[in-house]
Amino acid sequence: MASIGTSLMLRGLVRSYLLHPSVVVIRLLSSVGMEDMGLSLSRSPLERLHFDNVVLKKLPVDASEDPGVRTVRAACFSLVKPQPLTKPRFVAVSDEALALLGLNGEEVLNDVLGPEYLSGSKVMPGSQPAAHCYCGHQFGQFAGQLGDGAACYLGEVKVPDGQSAELLRENPSGRWEIQVKGAGLTPYSRQADGRKVLRSSIREFLCSEAIFSLGVPTTRAGSVVTSDSKVIRDVFYNGNPRHERCSVVLRIAPTFLRFGSFEIFKPADEHTGRQGPSYRHDEIRGQMMDYVIEMFYPEIQQNHPDRVERNVAFFREVMRRTARLVAHWQCIGFCHGVLNTDNMSILGITLDYGPYGFMDRFDPDFICSASDNSGRYSYQAQPAICRWNLVKLAEALAPELPPDRAEAVVDEYMDVYNGFYLGNMRKKLGLLRKEEPEDEMLITDLLQTMHNTGADFTNSFRSLSQIPCPAEGEGEEEEEIVKHATALLLEQCASLEELKAANKPTMDPRELAMLLSMAQSNPSLFQMISDRRTIARQLEKLHKLKDLMDTSQEELRTNQAEEWTLWITSYRKRLARELEGQSLVQEVQEERVRVMDSNNPRVVLRNYIAQNAIEAAEKGDFSEVRRVLKVLQKPFSSQAGLEHPAWLGQGGAEEEQRERDEGEEASTSATRTLVPYDSKPPAWAHEICVT
């Protein structure tokens, strides 16, 4: 019937054209235009994305489409089918991240198909869902095949017109890879279900955007979607599982290839016996290196016609970017938590946000993940661990990368890292005019003072711009200025009770005594169940706790004031040398404050801020997630009306009363108080455990 109707219509148009040609042309154009306009208006903005999925053309794809978990050989990707969610809906979107794809955040948020497309429940035109195969060293041991167990590659979106030159330098490929994390089973899901829950999805979404706004290279997060689909999770691995909502994060990056991508060719590991699934398929390693260098390091490709020299230059650049990245982390007090080789980006950007944490009270031994019992991935260990991971990458790139050349590059790492670290720290301290050898000791002394006094890392650095440079003829005023600066920093120091709690050993005294005895009597057995670093850390805590038990709050405050006065005096002497030979002293001081306040954030994503937003979202209120996102997108400035959380979670008096009314044991957690986003964390924040 449709074809007959079309034929009759065309005959009528021809007849009409012979009589009134101009009128018919106008009507025909008008008719087609209105029809196209209707289609255009009804289309989702996500259906207009221009996909160009180059990686699936350049690298081998698994021939099997079997949905089951399996070993995937001689392939870098497997095609998959994301599993739909029940009633998906947006929790939040990042306008800034979606703009990378040429999308308007408000349009996406209001698009009825948006939650379905950005959760993988529907597949966008041009998308080719796939999962990436990679391996990894986890906590120092080769784990064999890992891969995207929950993440799903959707494709590569062409960079829209008008993208900034800076972004194009960071992403010369001209495409943004997009992923959904939590879209269901893949061949790499192992014993898991391929799903993510609301709390982990919100944490990844917020931290991806927070880290970017702090000026640190990172993957981005465009949206987080939740649903009525449920999975069971044992949050603290304590035998108390509960149902949680399946949720999905949209992740954006030039590529999600990582160090572990090149470990699929590894022969049997001498310690674990595991080998990469593509062992003996060395030709794929060359293909992958060609792809990565041509797409993401085009200058290296152009400048090095010799293949070996090209590969060495590539590895050196990966080393440099990795050193730059970890220097950024150290300077903002960020701890990644799981720096396995499969969580290290081949582009030197922050990848995979799991049990991360920003330090509150400065502690070089800060461990953000409750699963890291040995402290392998502690704050102070991060630079060395990244170097170790580079060694493993070099091993994975051989023989394309000659081992002797790789070793020489790795030997450069610590100097490169220190250069980035000192450069960042000088900006944080406002040391802009001169680079002096004593600067390194000044920074070391600052961190030691912060550690000794239990000072808040973020807020202490933020306070430093309020310490003025010495003025000519200051005289008697100097003592008052130092006294005022000391009082300012004392506000950020821990109380006696906080320090006692922080230095309470996490190991039972009887267990510690047993291990100490075993270390002497049976060293081999001791090495199997513990390590000397862990024991030393426990003994140090015991020693500090003993000293604190013999100290009063007044004595502690006096000691803290003395330490800060000593450091502030040294700092002001160094600032005085910044002014030597400067005629426009006021301008120099103003520039110093401006640089310091743009390098020392006012607010970071502390665990309690994320937790508060998560608890609100779990009750169906997404406003706090969106509010926190706004705050984190401008971390160096105060925003009127966004100083405090608008939602306060459980744990306060009302919750305790409810538990009593229901005959339950009252919560032992401290009453929750409303504190500004830029304050020291409240007491209840220390009870948060991230695994």
Side-chain angles (χ1 to χ4, degrees), residues 303-362:
N303 296 337
H304 296 87
D306 180 81
R307 186 174 183 85
V308 170
E309 294 305 319
R310 182 202 69 165
N311 293 347
V312 171
F314 160 65
F315 183 63
R316 178 173 282 108
E317 181 60 15
V318 173
M319 177 276 291
R320 189 193 70 83
R321 292 189 188 192
T322 301
R324 178 187 64 176
L325 178 65
V326 71
H328 274 303
W329 290 346
Q330 300 304 96
C331 289
I332 59 172
F334 176 77
C335 200
H336 183 282
V338 198
L339 281 176
N340 301 324
T341 56
D342 53 290
N343 293 332
M344 298 284 295
S345 165
I346 202 67
L347 301 183
I349 62 179
T350 314
L351 174 68
D352 286 347
Y353 291 90
Y356 65 81
F358 284 88
M359 269 195 298
D360 296 323
R361 175 183 51 81
F362 177 71

Side-chain angles (χ1 to χ4, degrees), residues 2-55:
S3 60
I4 294 171
T6 303
S7 177
L8 289 171
M9 183 182 72
L10 286 171
R11 286 181 201 162
L13 285 171
V14 171
R15 191 180 300 116
S16 298
Y17 176 72
L18 295 173
L19 298 171
H20 307 286
S22 60
V23 174
V24 174
V25 169
I26 292 170
R27 283 180 183 164
L28 186 60
L29 289 174
S30 175
S31 173
V32 172
M34 288 301 292
E35 188 176 298
D36 283 357
M37 189 181 297
L39 285 171
S40 177
L41 289 172
S42 68
R43 286 179 68 189
S44 162
L46 296 162
E47 293 172 358
R48 297 195 293 266
L49 292 177
H50 188 175
F51 282 93
D52 183 16
N53 308 322
V54 175
V55 73

Side-chain angles (χ1 to χ4, degrees), residues 388-644:
W388 190 91
N389 288 339
L390 283 164
V391 170
K392 294 303 166 187
L393 174 61
E395 292 174 2
L397 295 178
E400 290 276 351
L401 177 69
D404 59 327
R405 302 291 301 276
E407 185 178 353
V409 171
V410 171
D411 286 344
E412 300 170 16
Y413 169 81
M414 284 311 299
D415 286 341
V416 174
Y417 162 76
N418 284 329
F420 281 120
Y421 179 78
L422 284 172
N424 291 345
M425 277 293 186
R426 285 190 174 103
K427 291 176 186 174
K428 290 173 77 70
L429 268 64
L431 308 178
L432 312 176
R433 304 280 163 168
K434 298 179 179 180
E435 294 184 5
E436 298 193 352
E438 295 82 3
D439 292 348
E440 195 167 348
M441 185 54 67
L442 183 70
I443 294 163
T444 301
D445 289 345
L446 169 60
L447 296 177
Q448 187 63 56
T449 302
M450 290 172 67
H451 187 213
N452 294 346
T453 61
D456 187 89
F457 183 87
T458 300
N459 290 0
S460 295
F461 271 107
R462 182 72 178 185
S463 300
L464 295 182
S465 66
Q466 298 180 53
I467 300 175
C469 294
E472 196 173 336
E474 209 169 55
E476 296 177 0
E477 294 177 13
E478 182 179 355
E479 186 177 340
E480 194 59 35
I481 291 170
V482 172
K483 187 177 178 181
H484 175 75
T486 299
L488 189 70
L489 286 157
L490 281 175
E491 291 177 13
Q492 303 304 329
C493 294
S495 67
L496 181 60
E497 291 308 311
E498 287 171 335
L499 286 175
K500 284 180 181 178
N503 286 286
K504 183 179 179 181
T506 54
M507 192 178 288
D508 184 277
R510 290 168 297 183
E511 182 186 359
L512 182 58
M514 180 197 72
L515 288 171
L516 283 169
S517 174
M518 187 184 296
Q520 297 293 323
S521 61
N522 195 338
S524 299
L525 180 60
F526 170 78
Q527 288 178 1
M528 291 174 63
I529 60 177
S530 188
D531 61 88
R532 295 188 181 277
R533 184 173 55 184
T534 300
I535 299 301
R537 194 161 56 241
Q538 295 295 315
L539 290 173
E540 185 182 358
K541 282 179 176 287
L542 269 176
H543 179 72
K544 286 184 178 178
L545 183 61
K546 182 179 180 298
D547 288 344
L548 290 167
M549 297 299 286
D550 297 331
T551 304
S552 68
Q553 178 63 43
E554 292 72 24
E555 289 172 325
L556 176 68
R557 223 39 163 186
T558 300
N559 292 339
Q560 289 173 333
E562 288 175 356
E563 290 210 46
W564 275 115
T565 298
L566 192 63
W567 185 83
I568 290 165
T569 302
S570 298
Y571 178 49
R572 278 172 47 83
K573 287 179 181 177
R574 173 64 180 86
L575 290 177
R577 295 198 289 278
E578 286 286 295
L579 300 177
E580 290 174 357
Q582 300 294 327
S583 56
L584 302 173
V585 172
Q586 186 62 30
E587 287 186 14
V588 172
Q589 298 230 44
E590 288 173 359
E591 182 192 9
R592 167 183 164 258
V593 171
R594 185 170 61 254
V595 170
M596 291 179 75
D597 285 349
S598 61
N599 282 274
N600 293 314
R602 184 184 68 84
V603 61
V604 293
L605 183 60
R606 299 177 190 261
N607 272 336
Y608 85 91
I609 295 175
Q611 184 63 24
N612 198 49
I614 289 165
E615 290 180 11
E618 287 179 335
K619 291 182 176 296
D621 183 351
F622 304 145
S623 63
E624 185 62 18
V625 176
R626 297 173 186 184
R627 184 182 183 86
V628 169
L629 176 63
K630 287 182 180 178
V631 172
L632 296 173
Q633 286 175 330
K634 295 184 178 178
F636 300 103
S637 59
S638 178
Q639 300 180 66
L642 293 175
E643 295 88 353
H644 292 81

Side-chain angles (χ1 to χ4, degrees), residues 118 132 148 151-155 177-181 248-253 256 258 351-352:
L118 297 187
H132 177 41
D148 287 335
C152 175
Y153 163 101
L154 292 182
E177 181 180 327
I178 59 174
Q179 278 190 352
V180 281
K181 186 174 180 180
V248 175
V249 177
L250 175 74
R251 308 203 299 181
I252 305 169
F256 286 87
R258 53 201 72 206
L351 174 68
D352 286 347

